Amino acid sequence: MKKYKIQSLVTSIALSFLLLMGCTDLDTPVVSELTPDIFPITEEDFVVIEGPIFTNLSQYYMQGIWFCQECTGDGMVLTANGGNWYDAGRYYNHHHHTWTADQRFIREAWQCCYSGISKCNSLLPLFEAQQESRFQKMGIAEIRTMRAFYYFLAIDMFGDVPLTTTFGKDAEVGGRVARATVFEFIESELKAAIPDLNGATGTTTYGRPTKWMGYALLAKLYLNAPIYAGRSDKYNDAVAACDAVITEAQTNGTIALDADYLKEFYPDNGPQFKDILFPAIYDGNNIKLNYPARYWLHKLLRTKYGLPFTPSGCIRTWPEFYDKFTIDDTDVRQQIWLTGKQYLSDGTPIMYTTTNKGYDARYSGSDPNGVVTYQLEFTKTVEFRNLDKFDTGDDYLGWTQGYRCNKFYPDATSPSRDQSNDIPVLRYADVLLMKAEAIMRGASPTMGQTALSLVNMVRTRAKASQFTSIDLNGLLDERARELCFEGWRRNDLIRFGKWED
């Protein structure tokens, strides 16, 4: 259990809810009402009351934002197996870009954005009414940064969106506002908030926006300016925002590319990883709705990973996406994949006994009930037996098609399918790759760094060989290797003009 998370989020949010609830006896004087006179005052008070704007992200990030970003990209495919997981064509439609407005993940992505924005709008007046102090200014900056972040997600996914900064009965909520206008609002909010954000990293600020999260988000906003605002004049600004983070890393060492790439995504990841600038926080016991093992792992892997549930194994990767990881045998990022024959941790083959018909439902021989035993083996190809139903077959062969991603390592400590792996939303590695991209798109190099040297910094941490040259296609592939399934693939493909390929 991540004790620091329980302390900083769960307990804090519980306290804030108690303060907000008041009492049920109408004849009893209200002593727990949240008012500017009594709350917030101390730094801890400000942190407590902000809790819901962060747990809102965790509630919807994987079950909404993540699926919309990744299931519509070129990396993963969630297939049906004899009708299982077809779900009225939900995943088929995401993959084919034929979704409808009422589909679950579209709806939940919208709820993530506007529930977060609403919470931020409700808290700002309370914070602004307090006596000015460093804590008060920092709290206001954190709320404005999170509101900007939610608006960033909104314009990235929906284009023109409603823009409101007020809350309650007097809130002004109109129709959709031009994406470029919201872009300018996000930019102004981040630039205004960053000076008052905390510059500290580690346990005290983990899960909250710091200066470095603000700069990383600003860089991502500028990098996408041609898409969001029709502007190609922001690449030097993107480099400047990246340089603020890089300077902190080089000067104080509070930000870095951690030596162990794989452990950065384990269930016990957290503030000890200097690469993570801002995460969506999860805890298998308290902050739930994150279960990658459920989706990626075959049911026969339950014993190997000591899981309290049987995985569904409905997601697999496309062969062409996997091939991006095979250009260098020393690249540790290859190790996130489960391929070929599977074994228990002690080397024992994972075996499966079924019938000829259970092995392949298309079996037409004379002994359909004949017993056969096979070793669990994932094949590289993904073959549809019924494309209209996105069906790869409800049998042994159908369920073992496609290589599986094990990047967010299974959580054997959780009592359920919910995992404690935090999902990094913004990372230092992404900042380095964003700076490289901005330079390749026309920005002036700074700090003695080139696009090639920046990409090679990321590859060095991955123990991959150094590139001798780099172009935009090569950079997109490197972003796939470094950031796969962290919720940015759709964003990247659109920016590189590849999303409809």
Side-chain angles (χ1 to χ4, degrees):
M1 185 182 297
K2 299 184 177 179
K3 294 182 180 178
Y4 66 87
K5 293 180 183 177
I6 304 300
Q7 184 176 25
S8 64
L9 281 171
V10 179
T11 303
S12 298
I13 294 162
L15 287 172
S16 67
F17 284 162
L18 286 174
L19 288 163
L20 288 165
M21 283 165 54
C23 51
T24 57
D25 184 352
L26 299 183
D27 295 325
T28 302
V30 176
V31 295
S32 58
E33 184 180 10
L34 187 60
T35 68
D37 295 334
I38 64 171
F39 194 84
I41 299 172
T42 67
E43 180 179 12
E44 184 179 26
D45 292 341
F46 284 102
V47 173
V48 165
I49 197 64
E50 286 181 71
I53 67 176
F54 306 119
T55 52
N56 175 78
L57 178 64
S58 299
Q59 178 183 359
Y60 292 112
Y61 194 77
M62 185 178 190
Q63 306 301 308
I65 302 294
W66 187 87
F67 265 103
C68 289
Q69 290 283 3
E70 298 292 352
C71 202
T72 60
D74 62 345
M76 61 172 261
V77 55
L78 196 160
T79 68
N81 294 82
N84 299 306
W85 286 100
Y86 182 67
D87 291 0
R90 176 192 302 165
Y91 308 104
Y92 175 98
N93 290 338
H94 272 297
H95 183 72
H96 285 274
H97 300 185
T98 56
W99 54 79
T100 59
D102 60 350
Q103 286 190 283
R104 174 188 167 187
F105 297 131
I106 300 288
R107 182 180 68 253
E108 291 182 356
W110 181 271
Q111 289 172 337
C112 178
C113 298
Y114 277 91
S115 177
I117 290 166
S118 179
K119 287 177 170 64
C120 292
N121 286 342
S122 70
L123 290 179
L124 268 178
L126 175 65
F127 278 50
E128 291 170 343
Q130 301 309 300
Q131 182 176 352
E132 184 173 312
S133 67
R134 181 171 65 88
F135 305 143
Q136 181 245 17
K137 292 172 68 176
M138 186 185 303
I140 291 173
E142 290 179 349
I143 295 171
R144 292 177 71 179
T145 299
M146 286 302 297
R147 184 173 63 182
F149 172 69
Y150 284 122
Y151 270 119
F152 173 93
L153 294 177
I155 64 169
D156 180 71
M157 302 190 68
F158 299 104
D160 299 348
V161 296
L163 175 62
T164 181
T165 59
T166 54
F167 179 82
K169 62 180 181 179
D170 297 324
E172 298 178 3
V173 182
R176 293 176 182 263
V177 174
R179 197 186 213 180
T181 300
V182 186
F183 170 94
E184 293 174 356
F185 171 78
I186 297 168
E187 178 186 22
S188 65
E189 285 290 284
L190 290 175
K191 291 171 72 173
I194 286 172
D196 291 323
L197 289 174
N198 201 326
T201 60
T203 304
T204 58
T205 57
Y206 187 73
R208 293 159 50 201
T210 63
K211 289 183 185 294
W212 323 119
M213 177 275 196
Y215 279 121
L217 181 59
L218 192 59
K220 197 168 284 288
L221 181 74
Y222 288 145
L223 203 59
N224 287 280
I227 305 297
Y228 300 158
R231 298 183 62 175
S232 57
D233 61 340
K234 290 292 185 179
Y235 294 126
N236 282 320
D237 292 326
V239 167
C242 291
D243 282 350
V245 183
I246 296 170
T247 298
E248 171 67 14
Q250 294 182 347
T251 303
N252 298 315
T254 58
I255 299 167
L257 296 176
D258 299 283
D260 195 331
Y261 175 85
L262 298 175
K263 288 292 181 68
E264 194 171 342
F265 307 96
Y266 270 44
D268 60 351
N269 64 351
Q272 71 272 29
F273 288 96
K274 297 181 179 181
D275 187 15
I276 301 177
L277 301 178
F278 182 70
I281 288 181
Y282 292 94
D283 181 286
N285 291 275
N286 298 278
I287 307 174
K288 300 184 177 183
L289 297 177
N290 180 34
Y291 21 77
R294 173 204 180 193
Y295 290 115
W296 282 99
L297 298 189
H298 189 280
K299 61 184 179 181
L300 293 182
L301 292 172
R302 174 178 179 175
T303 299
K304 176 176 181 176
Y305 294 108
L307 299 177
F309 68 97
T310 300
S312 300
C314 49
I315 298 181
R316 55 287 312 269
T317 196
W318 290 112
E320 295 85 355
F321 190 80
Y322 170 78
D323 285 343
K324 300 179 190 300
F325 289 78
T326 62
I327 65 170
D328 194 328
D329 291 338
T330 63
D331 192 332
V332 299
R333 296 170 300 191
Q334 285 188 6
Q335 297 176 38
I336 67 173
W337 297 103
L338 300 177
T339 66
K341 295 183 182 297
Q342 298 298 301
Y343 301 83
L344 297 175
S345 299
D346 63 1
T348 303
I350 298 176
M351 305 303 293
Y352 183 75
T353 298
T354 184
T355 63
N356 285 319
K357 197 76 171 177
Y359 178 76
D360 185 348
R362 298 166 296 184
Y363 178 84
S364 58
S366 60
D367 190 15
N369 296 319
V371 176
V372 290
T373 300
Y374 290 94
Q375 182 177 355
L376 177 62
E377 181 177 7
F378 298 129
T379 60
K380 185 177 180 181
T381 57
V382 178
E383 175 191 355
F384 290 98
R385 299 180 190 176
N386 184 334
L387 185 58
D388 290 338
K389 291 295 183 181
F390 230 41
D391 185 15
T392 56
D394 188 19
D395 50 33
Y396 179 92
L397 287 181
W399 282 103
T400 56
Q401 287 191 48
Y403 290 162
R404 312 304 168 93
C405 182
N406 202 28
K407 181 175 183 176
F408 291 95
Y409 200 81
D411 185 359
T413 68
S414 175
S416 65
R417 66 189 183 185
D418 297 281
Q419 297 184 213
S420 296
N421 317 57
D422 297 338
I423 299 179
V425 177
L426 293 166
R427 290 202 283 123
Y428 182 48
D430 194 359
V431 169
L432 297 175
L433 294 176
M434 285 195 290
K435 180 177 178 180
E437 182 180 339
I439 292 172
M440 295 178 70
R441 294 188 185 277
S444 300
T446 60
M447 302 177 68
Q449 296 170 332
T450 65
L452 180 61
S453 70
L454 289 159
V455 171
N456 280 333
M457 286 174 64
V458 175
R459 290 185 60 78
T460 296
R461 190 268 293 272
K463 297 180 174 57
S465 61
Q466 300 289 279
F467 284 155
T468 57
S469 63
I470 188 72
D471 58 17
L472 283 173
N473 286 331
L475 179 62
L476 180 61
D477 285 348
E478 189 62 27
R479 289 188 63 82
R481 287 183 284 269
E482 179 65 24
L483 303 167
C484 72
F485 308 126
E486 294 179 41
W488 289 113
R489 191 57 178 172
R490 171 188 163 278
N491 176 275
D492 286 349
L493 291 172
I494 290 173
R495 192 171 64 256
F496 281 78
K498 303 284 188 180
W499 194 50
E500 294 296 347
D501 290 353

